[in-house]
Amino acid sequence: MAAVVGVRPYAAAMTGDRVVDEVVEPAFRTESERLVWQELRRQLPVDAVVLPNLRLTDEELDHEIDFFVMIPGAGLVAVEVKGGDVRIDADGRWRQGRRAKVIDPVGQVRRGKYALRDYVEQDPRWRDSSRRHVRWVHAVVLPFSRLPADFAHPECPRWAVSDRDDLPRLAERLADSARRQETGRRAPDEDDVALVREILTGRGVLEPDPGAEADERQARADRLTREQAMLLHVTRLLRRVEVRGGAGSGKTVLALTQAKELTRGQGERRPQRVALLCYSIGLAAYLRREVAAVPRRHRPAFVGCFEDLARELGIHEFAARDDTDFWEQRLAPRMTELAQALPDGRKFDAVIVDEAQDFADDWWRPLMSALRDPDEGGVYAYSDENQRIFARFGRPPVELVPLVLDHNLRNTQQIATVFQPLAPMRMSLRGGDGPDVRFVACRPDEAMDLANDEVEALLDEGWPAKDVALLAVGSRHQEQKERQDRRGHQGYWDSFWDEDDVFYGHVLGCKGLERRAVVLCVNADDTLERATEKLYVGLSRATDRLVVVGDPRVLRAVGGDAVARHLGLAAGA
């Protein structure tokens, strides 16, 4: 007998008054099978197990066993059910129905029994159990036929086949049939039955994998983003453009795509020297990683944040990060002088700024000065005004043609629905279906500890650590502080792509970045500066799984009634 390579029980249930598993009504093809199922469920003892519609495949044949009944103290019984009018002709052949179709119920159930027995007894769990062979038998049930009183058949004695009159005693007859067959093998006990049932669930069983659905949603989002990139072809003759869109609309992907296309050149357009910029160190690290993966001729001349551009221009001494006068007042004029003095070969044909709402007015001046042609050079800004979380309101010093992205592609519909009331425009949600957003109510001072618990819960769900982030709205997580002290700012952001670690961050640094599963820790009250914008950023960083931990009153005060309602907060909470 060839080794069985597959088996699938369609349903399983303990019988009698004690229900061990939730019973799902199987989908039966015939009323005869349904009738037998009902009788077995009613009659079998509480320690018996019945598996209906059991299918298995070996190298020779596909088998189907209508019912596999395991009765401790009796045997393991494969049952074949034949409905309608069943009879045996003068030549000893079984026939069924008005057209007298030739059938072979005994041969069919016997082959299925042996295939199933081989499958179980070849399983390492059975072999390693040091169990002796148990009793495997077969039986035939004819629920709508009546056998004559003197019925006898060489391959099927009367006690191995039950007709319509036997149905009220069907369980008893199956147990008796098991005791009459294979008497050289022992009757199974409850442990045998439990192990056989476990084996019939298969080896190497697939565990729930939240990443699998996330992979499918990401593939769909990538396809939609590529379709959206056609916008760049439509606007290729425009040199001054502002692309506006809410979170998840694909702005960063479009900015990257445009940078590569301008660098490569298209059609009649010559290759250009392009600078791709953003504000945050984390987003700059992401952009550099993406650019490093493309052929060299497609890589922009410069990729980085505003501070990186200052270094590119020759500035190497910087003030502390909390010295706003240096970063927003003194740095830009010095950069402008250095940019104006650049030789033509080091200047740019186009500058592209992602998360442009974070750039101050003065920051645009060195960018314009770094263009070969300040009057005609390309200027492309990608922005979301509702993610403006810094107290600066810069605009490019040139007119830009506005284009609007009104589709959310990256977040599940459940996540996007929560933050959509905070978005700059009404968006069409195309990110696919996912799990509901979970809200954990607590005081702000309790939020961090409970957020840590939710991270552990996500890992227990099966999310890989590399897909999980804890983002704080108020004070930073202790783990973030330690990583920044230990690795420095650049090393800390490089850890965003660590394969084995959860990422701990703050919403201020994570704009333009995303994680599949995010715990948003709202560990601040409603007096936090630009709290609404920070909440919007935090809610939109998760693409597939979002858990929000915080005070319901703070969430309502900061996010408004619509966000509170979508988080499931009761009115007045």
Side-chain angles (χ1 to χ4, degrees), residues 469-521:
L470 187 156
L471 302 183
V473 173
S475 59
R476 294 177 298 162
H477 193 283
Q478 183 62 32
E479 180 65 24
Q480 178 184 358
K481 297 176 184 177
E482 292 177 1
R483 290 186 189 182
Q484 288 178 322
D485 291 342
R486 187 169 64 251
R487 302 187 182 187
H489 285 291
Q490 189 59 55
Y492 162 73
W493 280 109
D494 288 341
S495 75
F496 186 85
W497 290 275
D498 284 353
E499 291 291 316
D500 301 321
D501 288 330
V502 173
F503 180 76
Y504 295 86
H506 193 281
V507 294
L508 286 176
C510 288
K511 288 194 299 178
L513 299 175
E514 60 190 35
R515 208 70 159 189
R516 287 185 169 180
V518 170
V519 177
L520 180 63
C521 179

Short mmCIF file of all heavy atoms in Angstrom, two decimals, residues 469-521:
data_model
loop_
_atom_site.label_atom_id
_atom_site.label_comp_id
_atom_site.label_asym_id
_atom_site.label_seq_id
_atom_site.Cartn_x
_atom_site.Cartn_y
_atom_site.Cartn_z
N ALA A 469 5.54 47.70 16.17
CA ALA A 469 6.12 48.93 16.72
C ALA A 469 5.23 49.45 17.84
O ALA A 469 4.01 49.31 17.79
CB ALA A 469 6.26 50.00 15.64
N LEU A 470 5.87 50.01 18.85
CA LEU A 470 5.17 50.77 19.88
C LEU A 470 5.53 52.23 19.69
O LEU A 470 6.72 52.59 19.76
CB LEU A 470 5.56 50.29 21.28
CG LEU A 470 4.77 50.88 22.46
CD1 LEU A 470 4.82 49.93 23.66
CD2 LEU A 470 5.28 52.26 22.88
N LEU A 471 4.54 53.07 19.43
CA LEU A 471 4.78 54.50 19.18
C LEU A 471 4.11 55.31 20.28
O LEU A 471 2.93 55.12 20.58
CB LEU A 471 4.22 54.91 17.82
CG LEU A 471 4.77 54.16 16.61
CD1 LEU A 471 4.18 54.73 15.33
CD2 LEU A 471 6.29 54.23 16.56
N ALA A 472 4.86 56.21 20.87
CA ALA A 472 4.35 57.06 21.94
C ALA A 472 3.94 58.41 21.38
O ALA A 472 4.53 58.92 20.43
CB ALA A 472 5.42 57.24 23.02
N VAL A 473 2.90 58.98 21.99
CA VAL A 473 2.46 60.33 21.65
C VAL A 473 3.08 61.34 22.60
O VAL A 473 3.41 62.46 22.22
CB VAL A 473 0.92 60.42 21.67
CG1 VAL A 473 0.45 61.86 21.49
CG2 VAL A 473 0.32 59.54 20.58
N GLY A 474 3.24 60.95 23.87
CA GLY A 474 3.85 61.82 24.87
C GLY A 474 5.32 61.51 25.06
O GLY A 474 6.10 61.49 24.11
N SER A 475 5.72 61.24 26.29
CA SER A 475 7.14 60.96 26.57
C SER A 475 7.58 59.66 25.90
O SER A 475 6.79 58.74 25.71
CB SER A 475 7.36 60.87 28.08
OG SER A 475 6.56 59.86 28.64
N ARG A 476 8.86 59.58 25.55
CA ARG A 476 9.40 58.44 24.83
C ARG A 476 9.46 57.20 25.72
O ARG A 476 9.62 57.29 26.93
CB ARG A 476 10.79 58.75 24.30
CG ARG A 476 10.86 59.83 23.24
CD ARG A 476 12.30 60.10 22.86
NE ARG A 476 13.09 60.59 23.98
CZ ARG A 476 14.42 60.58 24.04
NH1 ARG A 476 15.11 60.10 23.02
NH2 ARG A 476 15.05 61.04 25.09
N HIS A 477 9.40 56.04 25.09
CA HIS A 477 9.57 54.77 25.77
C HIS A 477 11.01 54.65 26.25
O HIS A 477 11.94 55.11 25.58
CB HIS A 477 9.22 53.62 24.82
CG HIS A 477 9.06 52.30 25.47
ND1 HIS A 477 10.14 51.53 25.88
CD2 HIS A 477 7.94 51.57 25.79
CE1 HIS A 477 9.69 50.41 26.41
NE2 HIS A 477 8.37 50.40 26.37
N GLN A 478 11.21 54.00 27.38
CA GLN A 478 12.55 53.84 27.92
C GLN A 478 13.46 53.10 26.96
O GLN A 478 14.65 53.40 26.84
CB GLN A 478 12.49 53.10 29.27
CG GLN A 478 13.82 52.95 29.96
CD GLN A 478 14.45 54.29 30.31
OE1 GLN A 478 13.75 55.26 30.61
NE2 GLN A 478 15.78 54.35 30.27
N GLU A 479 12.92 52.12 26.24
CA GLU A 479 13.73 51.36 25.28
C GLU A 479 14.22 52.26 24.16
O GLU A 479 15.35 52.12 23.69
CB GLU A 479 12.92 50.20 24.71
CG GLU A 479 13.66 49.34 23.71
CD GLU A 479 14.82 48.58 24.30
OE1 GLU A 479 14.82 48.35 25.54
OE2 GLU A 479 15.76 48.22 23.53
N GLN A 480 13.39 53.22 23.72
CA GLN A 480 13.82 54.16 22.69
C GLN A 480 14.98 55.01 23.20
O GLN A 480 15.98 55.21 22.49
CB GLN A 480 12.67 55.06 22.25
CG GLN A 480 13.11 56.09 21.21
CD GLN A 480 12.00 57.06 20.82
OE1 GLN A 480 10.88 56.95 21.30
NE2 GLN A 480 12.32 58.00 19.95
N LYS A 481 14.86 55.50 24.43
CA LYS A 481 15.92 56.33 24.99
C LYS A 481 17.24 55.56 25.05
O LYS A 481 18.30 56.08 24.69
CB LYS A 481 15.53 56.80 26.39
CG LYS A 481 14.29 57.68 26.44
CD LYS A 481 13.94 58.01 27.89
CE LYS A 481 12.65 58.81 27.98
NZ LYS A 481 12.26 59.07 29.39
N GLU A 482 17.16 54.31 25.50
CA GLU A 482 18.38 53.52 25.64
C GLU A 482 19.02 53.22 24.29
O GLU A 482 20.24 53.26 24.15
CB GLU A 482 18.06 52.22 26.38
CG GLU A 482 17.68 52.44 27.84
CD GLU A 482 17.29 51.15 28.54
OE1 GLU A 482 17.33 50.08 27.87
OE2 GLU A 482 16.93 51.21 29.74
N ARG A 483 18.20 52.92 23.28
CA ARG A 483 18.76 52.63 21.96
C ARG A 483 19.40 53.87 21.35
O ARG A 483 20.45 53.80 20.70
CB ARG A 483 17.67 52.09 21.02
CG ARG A 483 17.20 50.70 21.38
CD ARG A 483 16.23 50.16 20.34
NE ARG A 483 15.61 48.92 20.79
CZ ARG A 483 14.75 48.22 20.07
NH1 ARG A 483 14.40 48.64 18.86
NH2 ARG A 483 14.23 47.11 20.55
N GLN A 484 18.78 55.03 21.54
CA GLN A 484 19.36 56.26 21.01
C GLN A 484 20.67 56.59 21.72
O GLN A 484 21.63 57.03 21.08
CB GLN A 484 18.35 57.41 21.15
CG GLN A 484 17.20 57.30 20.17
CD GLN A 484 16.19 58.42 20.34
OE1 GLN A 484 15.90 58.85 21.45
NE2 GLN A 484 15.62 58.88 19.24
N ASP A 485 20.72 56.38 23.03
CA ASP A 485 21.96 56.65 23.77
C ASP A 485 23.04 55.67 23.35
O ASP A 485 24.22 56.05 23.25
CB ASP A 485 21.70 56.53 25.27
CG ASP A 485 20.83 57.65 25.82
OD1 ASP A 485 20.70 58.67 25.11
OD2 ASP A 485 20.27 57.49 26.91
N ARG A 486 22.65 54.42 23.11
CA ARG A 486 23.63 53.38 22.82
C ARG A 486 24.11 53.42 21.37
O ARG A 486 25.29 53.23 21.09
CB ARG A 486 23.00 52.01 23.12
CG ARG A 486 23.95 50.84 23.01
CD ARG A 486 23.32 49.58 23.59
NE ARG A 486 22.15 49.14 22.86
CZ ARG A 486 20.90 49.20 23.31
NH1 ARG A 486 20.66 49.72 24.51
NH2 ARG A 486 19.88 48.76 22.58
N ARG A 487 23.22 53.72 20.44
CA ARG A 487 23.55 53.63 19.01
C ARG A 487 23.70 54.98 18.33
O ARG A 487 24.17 55.05 17.20
CB ARG A 487 22.47 52.83 18.28
CG ARG A 487 22.27 51.42 18.80
CD ARG A 487 21.29 50.67 17.89
NE ARG A 487 21.00 49.32 18.35
CZ ARG A 487 20.30 48.44 17.67
NH1 ARG A 487 19.80 48.77 16.48
NH2 ARG A 487 20.06 47.23 18.15
N GLY A 488 23.26 56.05 18.99
CA GLY A 488 23.22 57.34 18.30
C GLY A 488 21.98 57.43 17.44
O GLY A 488 21.28 56.44 17.20
N HIS A 489 21.69 58.64 16.90
CA HIS A 489 20.46 58.84 16.14
C HIS A 489 20.43 57.98 14.89
O HIS A 489 19.41 57.34 14.58
CB HIS A 489 20.29 60.32 15.78
CG HIS A 489 19.86 61.16 16.94
ND1 HIS A 489 18.60 61.07 17.49
CD2 HIS A 489 20.51 62.12 17.64
CE1 HIS A 489 18.50 61.92 18.50
NE2 HIS A 489 19.65 62.57 18.60
N GLN A 490 21.53 57.94 14.15
CA GLN A 490 21.53 57.17 12.90
C GLN A 490 21.42 55.68 13.18
O GLN A 490 20.66 54.95 12.53
CB GLN A 490 22.78 57.46 12.09
CG GLN A 490 22.75 56.87 10.69
CD GLN A 490 21.58 57.39 9.86
OE1 GLN A 490 21.41 58.60 9.70
NE2 GLN A 490 20.75 56.48 9.36
N GLY A 491 22.17 55.20 14.18
CA GLY A 491 22.11 53.79 14.52
C GLY A 491 20.74 53.38 15.03
O GLY A 491 20.25 52.28 14.76
N TYR A 492 20.13 54.31 15.79
CA TYR A 492 18.78 54.02 16.28
C TYR A 492 17.81 53.84 15.12
O TYR A 492 17.03 52.88 15.09
CB TYR A 492 18.31 55.15 17.20
CG TYR A 492 16.81 55.18 17.42
CD1 TYR A 492 16.19 54.22 18.22
CD2 TYR A 492 16.01 56.15 16.81
CE1 TYR A 492 14.81 54.23 18.40
CE2 TYR A 492 14.65 56.17 16.99
CZ TYR A 492 14.05 55.21 17.78
OH TYR A 492 12.69 55.23 17.97
N TRP A 493 17.88 54.71 14.13
CA TRP A 493 16.95 54.60 13.01
C TRP A 493 17.28 53.41 12.11
O TRP A 493 16.39 52.81 11.51
CB TRP A 493 16.92 55.90 12.21
CG TRP A 493 16.05 56.91 12.89
CD1 TRP A 493 16.44 58.04 13.52
CD2 TRP A 493 14.63 56.83 13.04
NE1 TRP A 493 15.36 58.68 14.07
CE2 TRP A 493 14.23 57.97 13.78
CE3 TRP A 493 13.66 55.93 12.63
CZ2 TRP A 493 12.90 58.21 14.11
CZ3 TRP A 493 12.34 56.16 12.96
CH2 TRP A 493 11.96 57.29 13.69
N ASP A 494 18.53 53.03 12.05
CA ASP A 494 18.87 51.82 11.33
C ASP A 494 18.20 50.59 11.96
O ASP A 494 17.90 49.61 11.29
CB ASP A 494 20.38 51.62 11.29
CG ASP A 494 21.07 52.62 10.35
OD1 ASP A 494 20.38 53.19 9.50
OD2 ASP A 494 22.30 52.82 10.50
N SER A 495 17.95 50.67 13.29
CA SER A 495 17.33 49.54 13.98
C SER A 495 15.86 49.37 13.58
O SER A 495 15.26 48.34 13.91
CB SER A 495 17.43 49.73 15.50
OG SER A 495 16.51 50.72 15.97
N PHE A 496 15.30 50.34 12.89
CA PHE A 496 13.91 50.22 12.43
C PHE A 496 13.75 48.98 11.55
O PHE A 496 12.67 48.38 11.50
CB PHE A 496 13.51 51.48 11.65
CG PHE A 496 12.06 51.53 11.25
CD1 PHE A 496 11.10 52.01 12.13
CD2 PHE A 496 11.65 51.10 10.00
CE1 PHE A 496 9.77 52.06 11.77
CE2 PHE A 496 10.32 51.14 9.63
CZ PHE A 496 9.37 51.63 10.52
N TRP A 497 14.83 48.56 10.89
CA TRP A 497 14.75 47.42 9.97
C TRP A 497 15.36 46.16 10.58
O TRP A 497 15.59 45.19 9.87
CB TRP A 497 15.43 47.78 8.65
CG TRP A 497 14.63 48.79 7.90
CD1 TRP A 497 13.58 48.56 7.07
CD2 TRP A 497 14.79 50.21 7.96
NE1 TRP A 497 13.07 49.76 6.60
CE2 TRP A 497 13.80 50.79 7.13
CE3 TRP A 497 15.67 51.07 8.63
CZ2 TRP A 497 13.67 52.16 6.94
CZ3 TRP A 497 15.54 52.43 8.45
CH2 TRP A 497 14.55 52.96 7.62
N ASP A 498 15.62 46.16 11.89
CA ASP A 498 16.11 44.94 12.53
C ASP A 498 15.07 43.84 12.36
O ASP A 498 13.87 44.05 12.54
CB ASP A 498 16.37 45.18 14.02
CG ASP A 498 17.66 45.96 14.25
OD1 ASP A 498 18.39 46.19 13.28
OD2 ASP A 498 17.90 46.35 15.41
N GLU A 499 15.55 42.64 12.05
CA GLU A 499 14.65 41.51 11.79
C GLU A 499 14.09 40.91 13.07
O GLU A 499 13.04 40.26 13.04
CB GLU A 499 15.40 40.43 11.01
CG GLU A 499 15.74 40.81 9.58
CD GLU A 499 14.49 40.89 8.70
OE1 GLU A 499 13.63 40.00 8.80
OE2 GLU A 499 14.38 41.85 7.93
N ASP A 500 14.74 41.11 14.20
CA ASP A 500 14.37 40.37 15.41
C ASP A 500 13.83 41.23 16.53
O ASP A 500 13.54 40.71 17.62
CB ASP A 500 15.59 39.58 15.94
CG ASP A 500 16.12 38.60 14.92
OD1 ASP A 500 15.30 37.98 14.22
OD2 ASP A 500 17.36 38.49 14.80
N ASP A 501 13.68 42.53 16.32
CA ASP A 501 13.30 43.42 17.42
C ASP A 501 12.05 44.21 17.12
O ASP A 501 11.84 44.67 15.98
CB ASP A 501 14.44 44.42 17.73
CG ASP A 501 15.62 43.75 18.41
OD1 ASP A 501 15.38 42.76 19.13
OD2 ASP A 501 16.75 44.22 18.23
N VAL A 502 11.24 44.40 18.14
CA VAL A 502 10.15 45.37 18.09
C VAL A 502 10.77 46.76 18.03
O VAL A 502 11.81 47.03 18.64
CB VAL A 502 9.24 45.23 19.33
CG1 VAL A 502 8.20 46.34 19.40
CG2 VAL A 502 8.59 43.85 19.35
N PHE A 503 10.14 47.67 17.29
CA PHE A 503 10.64 49.05 17.21
C PHE A 503 9.88 49.91 18.22
O PHE A 503 8.65 49.84 18.31
CB PHE A 503 10.46 49.62 15.81
CG PHE A 503 10.96 51.03 15.67
CD1 PHE A 503 12.32 51.28 15.58
CD2 PHE A 503 10.09 52.10 15.65
CE1 PHE A 503 12.80 52.57 15.46
CE2 PHE A 503 10.55 53.40 15.52
CZ PHE A 503 11.92 53.64 15.43
N TYR A 504 10.62 50.73 18.98
CA TYR A 504 10.04 51.66 19.94
C TYR A 504 10.34 53.07 19.47
O TYR A 504 11.51 53.44 19.33
CB TYR A 504 10.61 51.42 21.34
CG TYR A 504 10.24 50.05 21.89
CD1 TYR A 504 11.01 48.93 21.61
CD2 TYR A 504 9.10 49.89 22.69
CE1 TYR A 504 10.67 47.68 22.11
CE2 TYR A 504 8.74 48.65 23.19
CZ TYR A 504 9.53 47.54 22.89
OH TYR A 504 9.18 46.31 23.38
N GLY A 505 9.31 53.85 19.21
CA GLY A 505 9.53 55.17 18.66
C GLY A 505 8.51 56.18 19.12
O GLY A 505 7.68 55.91 20.01
N HIS A 506 8.55 57.35 18.51
CA HIS A 506 7.65 58.46 18.82
C HIS A 506 7.02 58.92 17.52
O HIS A 506 7.66 58.87 16.46
CB HIS A 506 8.43 59.59 19.48
CG HIS A 506 7.55 60.62 20.12
ND1 HIS A 506 6.93 61.62 19.39
CD2 HIS A 506 7.20 60.81 21.42
CE1 HIS A 506 6.23 62.38 20.22
NE2 HIS A 506 6.37 61.91 21.46
N VAL A 507 5.80 59.38 17.59
CA VAL A 507 5.12 59.78 16.36
C VAL A 507 5.86 60.91 15.64
O VAL A 507 5.78 61.01 14.41
CB VAL A 507 3.66 60.21 16.65
CG1 VAL A 507 2.84 59.03 17.13
CG2 VAL A 507 3.60 61.35 17.67
N LEU A 508 6.60 61.75 16.37
CA LEU A 508 7.30 62.85 15.73
C LEU A 508 8.32 62.37 14.70
O LEU A 508 8.55 63.04 13.70
CB LEU A 508 8.03 63.70 16.78
CG LEU A 508 7.17 64.61 17.67
CD1 LEU A 508 8.02 65.29 18.71
CD2 LEU A 508 6.43 65.63 16.82
N GLY A 509 8.92 61.22 14.93
CA GLY A 509 9.95 60.75 14.03
C GLY A 509 9.49 59.75 12.99
O GLY A 509 10.30 59.33 12.16
N CYS A 510 8.22 59.37 13.03
CA CYS A 510 7.78 58.24 12.20
C CYS A 510 6.90 58.65 11.02
O CYS A 510 6.33 57.77 10.36
CB CYS A 510 7.04 57.23 13.06
SG CYS A 510 8.14 56.32 14.16
N LYS A 511 6.79 59.91 10.74
CA LYS A 511 6.01 60.31 9.57
C LYS A 511 6.66 59.78 8.30
O LYS A 511 7.88 59.84 8.14
CB LYS A 511 5.88 61.83 9.50
CG LYS A 511 4.95 62.38 10.55
CD LYS A 511 4.56 63.81 10.28
CE LYS A 511 5.75 64.72 10.27
NZ LYS A 511 5.36 66.10 9.96
N GLY A 512 5.84 59.26 7.41
CA GLY A 512 6.35 58.68 6.17
C GLY A 512 6.75 57.23 6.33
O GLY A 512 7.01 56.56 5.33
N LEU A 513 6.82 56.73 7.56
CA LEU A 513 7.16 55.34 7.82
C LEU A 513 5.91 54.58 8.23
O LEU A 513 4.91 55.17 8.65
CB LEU A 513 8.21 55.24 8.93
CG LEU A 513 9.55 55.93 8.64
CD1 LEU A 513 10.45 55.87 9.87
CD2 LEU A 513 10.24 55.30 7.44
N GLU A 514 5.96 53.27 8.14
CA GLU A 514 4.80 52.47 8.51
C GLU A 514 5.27 51.14 9.09
O GLU A 514 6.41 50.72 8.88
CB GLU A 514 3.91 52.22 7.30
CG GLU A 514 4.60 51.51 6.16
CD GLU A 514 3.79 51.49 4.88
OE1 GLU A 514 3.08 52.48 4.60
OE2 GLU A 514 3.88 50.49 4.15
N ARG A 515 4.39 50.51 9.81
CA ARG A 515 4.63 49.19 10.38
C ARG A 515 3.34 48.41 10.24
O ARG A 515 2.25 48.98 10.28
CB ARG A 515 4.99 49.34 11.86
CG ARG A 515 5.87 48.24 12.43
CD ARG A 515 7.28 48.29 11.91
NE ARG A 515 8.20 47.58 12.80
CZ ARG A 515 9.50 47.61 12.68
NH1 ARG A 515 10.06 48.30 11.72
NH2 ARG A 515 10.28 46.95 13.52
N ARG A 516 3.44 47.11 10.07
CA ARG A 516 2.22 46.33 9.90
C ARG A 516 1.36 46.34 11.15
O ARG A 516 0.14 46.43 11.07
CB ARG A 516 2.58 44.90 9.50
CG ARG A 516 3.07 44.78 8.07
CD ARG A 516 3.31 43.36 7.67
NE ARG A 516 3.54 43.26 6.23
CZ ARG A 516 3.77 42.13 5.59
NH1 ARG A 516 3.79 40.98 6.26
NH2 ARG A 516 3.96 42.13 4.29
N ALA A 517 1.97 46.20 12.30
CA ALA A 517 1.22 46.16 13.56
C ALA A 517 1.78 47.22 14.50
O ALA A 517 2.98 47.23 14.78
CB ALA A 517 1.32 44.78 14.20
N VAL A 518 0.92 48.11 14.98
CA VAL A 518 1.35 49.23 15.81
C VAL A 518 0.50 49.30 17.07
O VAL A 518 -0.73 49.18 17.02
CB VAL A 518 1.24 50.57 15.05
CG1 VAL A 518 1.44 51.75 15.99
CG2 VAL A 518 2.26 50.62 13.92
N VAL A 519 1.18 49.48 18.20
CA VAL A 519 0.52 49.85 19.45
C VAL A 519 0.76 51.34 19.64
O VAL A 519 1.92 51.77 19.80
CB VAL A 519 1.07 49.05 20.65
CG1 VAL A 519 0.40 49.53 21.93
CG2 VAL A 519 0.85 47.56 20.44
N LEU A 520 -0.30 52.13 19.58
CA LEU A 520 -0.18 53.57 19.76
C LEU A 520 -0.45 53.89 21.22
O LEU A 520 -1.55 53.68 21.73
CB LEU A 520 -1.17 54.31 18.86
CG LEU A 520 -1.13 55.84 18.98
CD1 LEU A 520 0.23 56.39 18.55
CD2 LEU A 520 -2.24 56.47 18.16
N CYS A 521 0.57 54.41 21.90
CA CYS A 521 0.48 54.72 23.33
C CYS A 521 0.18 56.21 23.50
O CYS A 521 1.07 57.05 23.32
CB CYS A 521 1.80 54.35 24.01
SG CYS A 521 1.83 54.69 25.78
#
